[in-house]
Amino acid sequence: MTKARTARRGRSGGGAVRRAERTAVRIETAKYIERNIPNFEILNEEALEIIETNAETILEEIGVNFVDNPPALEVWRNAGADVQGERVHIPRGMARKLCATAPSMIKQRARNPDRNVEIGGRNLVLAPVYGPPFVRDIEGGRRYATMEDFQNFVKLTYMSKWVHHSGGTVCEPTDVAVNKRHLDMLLAHMTLSDKPYMGSVTEPERAVDSVEMSKLLFGADFVDQNTVMTSLININSPLTFDSIMMGALEVYAKANQACIISPFIVGGAMAPVSVAGTLAQVLAEVLAGVAYSQLIRAGAPVVFGAFVTSIDMNSGAPTFGTPEASQITFGAGQLARRLGLPYRSGGSFCGSKLPDAQAGYETANSLNTALLSGVNFMLHSCGWLEGGLVSSYEKFVMDADQLGILHHMARGVDASENGQAMDAIREVGPGGHYLGCAHTQENFKTAFWRSDLLDYKPYETWEDEGARDTETLAAVRVKKLLADYQPPAIDPAVNEALHDYVARKKASVPDAFV
Amino acid sequence: MTKARTARRGRSGGGAVRRAERTAVRIETAKYIERNIPNFEILNEEALEIIETNAETILEEIGVNFVDNPPALEVWRNAGADVQGERVHIPRGMARKLCATAPSMIKQRARNPDRNVEIGGRNLVLAPVYGPPFVRDIEGGRRYATMEDFQNFVKLTYMSKWVHHSGGTVCEPTDVAVNKRHLDMLLAHMTLSDKPYMGSVTEPERAVDSVEMSKLLFGADFVDQNTVMTSLININSPLTFDSIMMGALEVYAKANQACIISPFIVGGAMAPVSVAGTLAQVLAEVLAGVAYSQLIRAGAPVVFGAFVTSIDMNSGAPTFGTPEASQITFGAGQLARRLGLPYRSGGSFCGSKLPDAQAGYETANSLNTALLSGVNFMLHSCGWLEGGLVSSYEKFVMDADQLGILHHMARGVDASENGQAMDAIREVGPGGHYLGCAHTQENFKTAFWRSDLLDYKPYETWEDEGARDTETLAAVRVKKLLADYQPPAIDPAVNEALHDYVARKKASVPDAFV
């Protein structure tokens, strides 16, 4: 069984601990996944070399744009790139060489050290959905997300055993001014959860706020010496790096905080309709972005990102859980490993408007691919609906439950004497059954993954209880989790300092909604 | 694009062809999958050797039971096994040696030669659900299956592009006598479809009927010289071979017809709760069964089968789409390849009572595993619901649509010049988009798998059209397919001979319902 860690109750004392233990929902978080299974390698050596060669050709001959960012152009020029206007032509091999200073493993600290994660190697760290402006639940339907929704998703993440990371913009709190909502979002991650979190990237100064608030939470020295945030820097594919994202990257790189440098690919729109072509572009973009981060600060922790979907050529809609997206996800994992960088991809992707069968198929296709692709950090691992427009309460707990499957799959096959179970086979013999044998008695509690949500009841019982579908069962679980939620203990002085910071910053400028 | 084959209209003439072409639903069947991707190998060499050694130990020391079958015991005794009562102890290495005469590739003929399939190698042949006593549809709910349902599922299979094989007991037609329903089932497969099919196994004499009717359909000489059926022989795990299944196997092996020799494993009940233990038992069972088939007729075509699920230790219910079942499916594939036999496993497995999100997750987990496990014949690839108790109309078309994903995934990554798309990347450049570029125009029709069922519409359109979930969309497709169905042409004399055979056999004995 994956080692589960009971939440530290800190200052809440013995009484609170005993009360918490009486609640049905236990707050425990599994350790991040440490794979004991191979990765699925879809590309052969020849294809890998072709793609790597093409990526270098793209960088040298076509180049990449660093837009509205003269200092970045100066950095590139000084490094030896051929800069023409905003176009940076990177000589063959130069970007890959610069990438070599990026660490292959990132240890991100949480305020509860039991929740620290290590992103890289054979590990897989799971974080929730990021970015949707809408939420959906079974009773309220689809509506704009609010700060209350945001807090609810942070709470659900905190209470989800198989989710290791609190994520970032679990939904867009549209009822808070655009120029201030990052403060409330950070405050929620820092105070309602003790799992590691992401910083703001929507303006460089919001990245600064993220670093400052982290210093209040962890102490300034600690933040100087440790990575306490992993933030999402999207590339404007094809081949374009905008000044806002690069500005946030610069802040984080200088502060030694981690960034995911991630092409955002809707195949057929932002990349070619072919897998090998898309992979060459993705690799070129990541090489350029990571190289730039290392020019800002050699050794800055960065992740090879790939957000990949494809377009439906009939309707223009993005599609999810498709075989082409899976192939790119598999291939990008191989490219990331050859580059020696941690890899971010995958998620609970679906295009469905409802948490229905379509959502289930598409999400499972995506999650399985991510596991076998060697992904090290999976953003969007639960709660994603409607192509990322919606954070779904019910789908959140459905997906979070499925993440247990990834943990158990990754354990691999136990070929020890106990795993071989020859005593059991001898004991039971032909025609018998294993339900009561000694080996079963000793192992059944940890032998099989078990859903905390899905229906396993006899048909008649299920029918008597209302013939509930998965969404209905999930709605019950959402309510129970939110009702049972208790915040992790926090030093009152730290809590106050964070609230003060947020209040002060909010008071210092008028609201802006663009 | 996978090569699609338009149905031959045979005698129906030009007018019928033109009429058929005007219907929206085209009757085309993709060629069976020929993988251009690697298999996922979850077991390392050491684990494989341990499991293979343990399987031999099981056969030699524990043995297997051939129940109520003195001739089989005699066969084993003559082959050199140590027979004690009904228990057959097979000396280490003997079963594997006997398996060597079984072919590694099985060419099964269909009455339409365009539908022939080759089971083995890197191929994957897809067949529908097998065995449920119930059906479900959105309007009628769950009810006992009838012969009309059976015919409907044969029609749906015939019309499903990604399903290559008509299967066998697509549901149990409970309104026909148990001792006669096999005749009606075979007649349906032979006349309502032109895809390859399975024979009856529920009594040896029903296997004889299957061979006789096949001779009417194909001609006696053709059946003598070719494999025209692949039938399902379940092993009563653990380690027990009953006389009915072995009787059917004997009929088919002597007639050179293919059999899947398949342990039926609910882990924790019919096998140990551990993966390595289960795999050793599965391998022992398959070795014994395949060896027996080769003792009946050396060279008889057989498939290494593994039906695998695990039990929910709290409720005793079988569970599907679990990581343990996937691990066993991956491992059994490796064992089958080392034995040089075609491999049957996987399916659209789920425990859900409804075609809802649970069904989607569990099914996608199972289908993805089957593809990457190197399965050569996937029974139950569409339509399975509620742990196999129910053939679902809606889930049938949902699953059948998802099977297109397996076809596209298996194509692998095209690293040709066109696949590399460097011209497109040059043409579009930084900040552009690929929607209109020459490479997209040339490739978009075949670049991406596209669902024929799932919702890709804008939110507002989808809402205006009734905010339909996947099940509702699937129900529309079921009705359209059945309304559009037209039987493939058949020689009237053959058709009459088949109907005569069925009528004569049915009249020859009274109905029996046990």
Side-chain angles (χ1 to χ4, degrees):
Chain A
M1 189 79 159
T2 304
K3 188 183 161 208
R5 299 167 168 192
T6 304
R8 297 190 317 170
R9 286 275 150 198
R11 288 175 177 73
S12 61
V17 168
R18 282 191 297 277
R19 279 193 299 280
E21 282 171 354
R22 282 198 299 273
T23 64
V25 179
R26 288 187 60 213
I27 316 298
E28 53 177 356
T29 297
K31 193 179 177 193
Y32 52 82
I33 293 171
E34 295 169 290
R35 288 181 181 81
N36 193 28
I37 57 173
N39 296 312
F40 182 71
E41 312 268 344
I42 199 167
L43 300 175
N44 60 25
E45 181 65 25
E46 188 191 352
L48 286 163
E49 285 174 12
I50 288 171
I51 290 164
E52 287 173 342
T53 300
N54 287 347
E56 297 286 356
T57 302
I58 291 168
L59 291 175
E60 182 168 76
E61 297 181 15
I62 303 172
V64 297
N65 283 0
F66 275 71
V67 179
D68 297 331
N69 199 345
L73 299 174
E74 193 56 31
V75 166
W76 277 115
R77 198 173 283 118
N78 292 339
D82 173 21
V83 180
Q84 308 284 341
E86 294 192 320
R87 184 75 59 93
V88 179
H89 296 269
I90 306 171
R92 193 172 291 276
M94 179 181 143
R96 182 171 287 266
K97 197 171 167 197
L98 286 167
C99 290
T101 53
S104 58
M105 176 74 84
I106 300 168
K107 181 163 187 170
Q108 183 184 350
R109 312 288 178 148
R111 73 169 167 105
N112 176 348
D114 284 347
R115 312 280 202 233
N116 291 348
V117 294
E118 301 196 21
I119 302 167
R122 304 193 60 74
N123 300 350
L124 173 55
V125 174
L126 302 172
V129 61
Y130 187 106
F134 298 101
V135 294
R136 174 182 276 279
D137 66 33
I138 199 168
E139 287 175 0
R142 182 184 192 257
R143 54 194 160 75
Y144 276 104
T146 65
M147 197 60 218
E148 186 184 348
D149 292 313
F150 188 97
Q151 292 166 341
N152 283 338
F153 281 108
V154 172
K155 292 175 183 178
L156 289 175
T157 302
Y158 173 63
M159 298 183 79
S160 295
K161 176 175 177 179
W162 308 114
V163 186
H164 318 109
H165 198 286
S166 197
T169 310
V170 290
C171 59
E172 275 289 345
T174 60
D175 55 341
V176 182
V178 167
N179 60 340
K180 300 180 180 177
R181 63 177 64 150
H182 66 287
L183 299 163
D184 287 340
M185 293 195 278
L186 285 161
L187 190 64
H189 283 299
M190 291 176 176
T191 60
L192 302 179
S193 180
D194 62 4
K195 296 186 179 181
Y197 57 87
M198 305 172 79
S200 178
V201 296
T202 50
E203 284 289 350
E205 66 191 74
R206 295 173 198 158
V208 173
D209 281 332
S210 305
V211 174
E212 291 305 310
M213 287 179 70
S214 294
K215 287 181 177 172
L216 296 177
L217 184 66
F218 287 95
D221 285 352
F222 191 90
V223 172
D224 280 343
Q225 291 155 26
N226 294 283
T227 295
V228 300
M229 283 178 285
T230 300
S231 304
L232 178 61
I233 303 297
N234 279 329
I235 297 168
N236 280 3
S237 303
L239 302 169
T240 304
F241 296 77
D242 73 47
S243 59
I244 290 175
M245 282 284 164
M246 287 306 100
L249 170 63
E250 290 156 16
V251 171
Y252 287 126
K254 285 174 188 164
N256 209 25
Q257 299 303 310
C259 284
I260 302 161
I261 297 180
S262 205
F264 185 94
I265 303 285
V266 179
M270 291 87 146
V273 292
S274 66
V275 170
T278 299
L279 283 169
Q281 183 185 309
V282 163
L283 179 58
E285 291 174 347
V286 171
L287 282 168
V290 171
Y292 182 66
S293 74
Q294 302 304 301
L295 287 170
I296 297 299
R297 174 173 170 157
V302 285
V303 177
F304 182 131
F307 175 88
V308 179
T309 173
S310 51
I311 206 169
D312 172 36
M313 284 292 175
N314 290 42
S315 66
T319 55
F320 297 90
T322 63
E324 293 78 23
S326 289
Q327 290 178 338
I328 295 168
T329 307
F330 286 128
Q334 294 178 262
L335 297 171
R337 289 190 287 283
R338 285 161 72 99
L339 201 47
L341 290 177
Y343 176 43
R344 169 260 165 151
S345 196
S348 58
F349 298 140
C350 65
S352 184
K353 277 81 173 171
L354 297 171
D356 60 0
Q358 177 178 351
Y361 287 116
E362 291 175 337
T363 297
N365 289 343
S366 301
L367 293 178
N368 282 296
T369 294
L371 177 68
L372 299 187
S373 293
V375 167
N376 300 118
F377 186 82
M378 188 178 356
L379 197 57
H380 310 299
S381 69
C382 51
W384 170 289
L385 194 68
E386 202 189 320
L389 286 175
V390 173
S391 293
S392 160
Y393 280 89
E394 285 81 15
K395 186 153 181 287
F396 189 100
V397 300
M398 289 155 54
D399 294 337
D401 184 61
Q402 289 287 306
L403 298 177
I405 292 179
L406 306 191
H407 284 73
H408 276 242
M409 181 71 87
R411 289 163 20 173
V413 176
D414 171 16
S416 71
E417 203 164 315
N418 184 58
Q420 293 174 48
M422 287 297 282
D423 287 350
I425 299 171
R426 286 181 209 280
E427 179 186 341
V428 171
H433 71 77
Y434 289 83
L435 292 171
C437 76
H439 182 265
T440 299
Q441 294 296 319
E442 283 154 22
N443 291 279
F444 78 92
K445 281 187 184 166
T446 57
F448 300 141
W449 169 77
R450 185 174 198 273
S451 171
D452 289 322
L453 172 68
L454 299 180
D455 160 61
Y456 290 161
K457 292 180 176 166
Y459 180 79
E460 292 71 21
T461 311
W462 171 80
E463 199 171 36
D464 288 348
E465 291 180 1
R468 292 178 294 181
D469 68 4
T470 318
E471 184 182 13
T472 307
L473 292 170
V476 173
R477 185 165 170 82
V478 168
K479 280 199 177 168
K480 169 136 193 66
L481 288 171
L482 290 178
D484 288 348
Y485 170 79
Q486 294 178 345
I490 189 167
D491 183 324
V494 168
N495 193 42
E496 197 182 328
L498 288 168
H499 280 83
D500 285 350
Y501 185 91
V502 169
R504 188 158 36 81
K505 289 291 288 193
K506 286 173 113 172
S508 67
V509 287
D511 285 359
F513 272 93
V514 285
Chain B
M1 188 82 160
T2 305
K3 188 183 161 205
R5 298 166 168 193
T6 304
R8 296 190 316 169
R9 289 272 151 199
R11 287 176 179 72
S12 60
V17 168
R18 282 191 298 276
R19 278 192 299 281
E21 282 172 355
R22 282 198 299 274
T23 64
V25 178
R26 288 187 60 212
I27 316 298
E28 53 178 356
T29 297
K31 193 180 178 192
Y32 51 83
I33 293 171
E34 296 169 289
R35 288 180 182 83
N36 193 29
I37 56 173
N39 297 311
F40 182 71
E41 312 267 344
I42 199 168
L43 301 174
N44 59 24
E45 182 65 25
E46 188 190 355
L48 285 163
E49 286 174 11
I50 288 171
I51 289 164
E52 287 173 343
T53 301
N54 287 349
E56 297 286 355
T57 302
I58 291 167
L59 291 175
E60 182 169 77
E61 296 181 17
I62 303 172
V64 296
N65 282 0
F66 275 72
V67 180
D68 297 332
N69 198 347
L73 300 174
E74 192 58 28
V75 166
W76 277 115
R77 199 174 282 115
N78 291 339
D82 173 22
V83 179
Q84 307 284 339
E86 293 191 320
R87 183 75 59 96
V88 180
H89 297 269
I90 305 172
R92 192 172 291 275
M94 179 181 143
R96 184 170 285 265
K97 197 171 166 196
L98 286 167
C99 290
T101 53
S104 58
M105 177 72 85
I106 300 168
K107 181 163 186 169
Q108 183 184 350
R109 313 288 178 147
R111 72 169 167 105
N112 176 348
D114 285 346
R115 312 281 203 231
N116 290 348
V117 294
E118 301 197 20
I119 303 167
R122 304 193 61 75
N123 300 349
L124 172 55
V125 174
L126 303 172
V129 61
Y130 187 106
F134 297 101
V135 295
R136 173 182 277 278
D137 66 35
I138 200 167
E139 285 175 2
R142 182 184 191 258
R143 55 197 159 73
Y144 276 105
T146 65
M147 196 61 217
E148 186 184 347
D149 292 312
F150 188 98
Q151 291 166 341
N152 284 337
F153 281 107
V154 172
K155 292 175 183 177
L156 289 175
T157 302
Y158 172 63
M159 297 183 80
S160 295
K161 175 174 177 180
W162 307 115
V163 186
H164 318 107
H165 197 286
S166 196
T169 311
V170 289
C171 61
E172 275 288 346
T174 61
D175 56 342
V176 182
V178 168
N179 61 338
K180 300 179 180 176
R181 63 177 63 149
H182 67 287
L183 299 163
D184 288 339
M185 293 194 279
L186 286 160
L187 190 65
H189 284 298
M190 292 175 176
T191 61
L192 302 180
S193 180
D194 62 5
K195 296 185 179 181
Y197 57 87
M198 304 172 79
S200 177
V201 297
T202 50
E203 284 290 347
E205 67 190 73
R206 295 173 197 157
V208 172
D209 281 332
S210 305
V211 174
E212 291 305 312
M213 286 179 71
S214 294
K215 287 180 177 173
L216 295 177
L217 184 65
F218 287 93
D221 286 352
F222 191 88
V223 172
D224 280 344
Q225 291 155 25
N226 294 285
T227 295
V228 300
M229 285 179 283
T230 300
S231 304
L232 178 62
I233 303 297
N234 278 329
I235 297 168
N236 281 3
S237 302
L239 302 170
T240 304
F241 295 78
D242 73 45
S243 59
I244 288 174
M245 282 285 164
M246 289 304 102
L249 170 64
E250 290 155 17
V251 170
Y252 287 126
K254 285 174 188 163
N256 208 26
Q257 298 303 310
C259 284
I260 302 161
I261 298 181
S262 205
F264 185 94
I265 302 287
V266 179
M270 290 86 146
V273 290
S274 65
V275 171
T278 299
L279 283 169
Q281 182 186 309
V282 163
L283 180 57
E285 292 174 348
V286 170
L287 282 169
V290 171
Y292 182 67
S293 75
Q294 301 304 302
L295 288 169
I296 297 300
R297 174 172 170 159
V302 285
V303 176
F304 181 130
F307 175 89
V308 180
T309 173
S310 52
I311 205 168
D312 172 36
M313 283 296 176
N314 291 41
S315 65
T319 56
F320 296 89
T322 63
E324 294 78 22
S326 289
Q327 290 178 338
I328 295 168
T329 306
F330 286 128
Q334 294 179 263
L335 297 170
R337 288 190 288 279
R338 285 161 72 98
L339 201 48
L341 289 176
Y343 176 42
R344 169 259 163 151
S345 195
S348 58
F349 298 140
C350 65
S352 184
K353 276 79 171 172
L354 297 171
D356 61 0
Q358 176 179 351
Y361 287 117
E362 292 175 337
T363 297
N365 289 343
S366 302
L367 293 178
N368 282 296
T369 294
L371 177 69
L372 300 187
S373 293
V375 166
N376 300 118
F377 186 83
M378 189 179 354
L379 197 56
H380 309 300
S381 68
C382 52
W384 171 288
L385 194 68
E386 201 189 319
L389 286 175
V390 173
S391 294
S392 160
Y393 279 88
E394 285 81 16
K395 186 154 182 287
F396 189 100
V397 299
M398 288 156 54
D399 294 338
D401 184 60
Q402 289 287 306
L403 298 177
I405 293 178
L406 306 191
H407 284 72
H408 276 242
M409 180 73 87
R411 290 166 14 175
V413 176
D414 171 16
S416 72
E417 203 165 314
N418 184 57
Q420 293 174 47
M422 285 297 281
D423 287 350
I425 298 172
R426 286 182 209 279
E427 178 185 341
V428 172
H433 72 77
Y434 289 82
L435 292 171
C437 77
H439 182 266
T440 300
Q441 292 298 319
E442 282 154 22
N443 290 279
F444 79 92
K445 283 187 184 167
T446 58
F448 301 141
W449 170 77
R450 185 172 197 271
S451 171
D452 288 323
L453 172 66
L454 299 181
D455 161 60
Y456 290 161
K457 291 180 177 166
Y459 180 79
E460 291 71 21
T461 312
W462 170 80
E463 200 171 36
D464 287 347
E465 291 179 0
R468 294 177 293 181
D469 68 3
T470 319
E471 185 183 14
T472 308
L473 292 171
V476 173
R477 185 166 169 81
V478 168
K479 280 200 176 166
K480 168 134 193 68
L481 287 171
L482 290 178
D484 289 347
Y485 170 79
Q486 294 178 344
I490 188 168
D491 183 325
V494 168
N495 192 42
E496 195 182 329
L498 288 168
H499 279 83
D500 284 351
Y501 184 91
V502 169
R504 189 158 37 81
K505 289 291 290 194
K506 287 174 112 173
S508 69
V509 286
D511 285 359
F513 272 92
V514 286

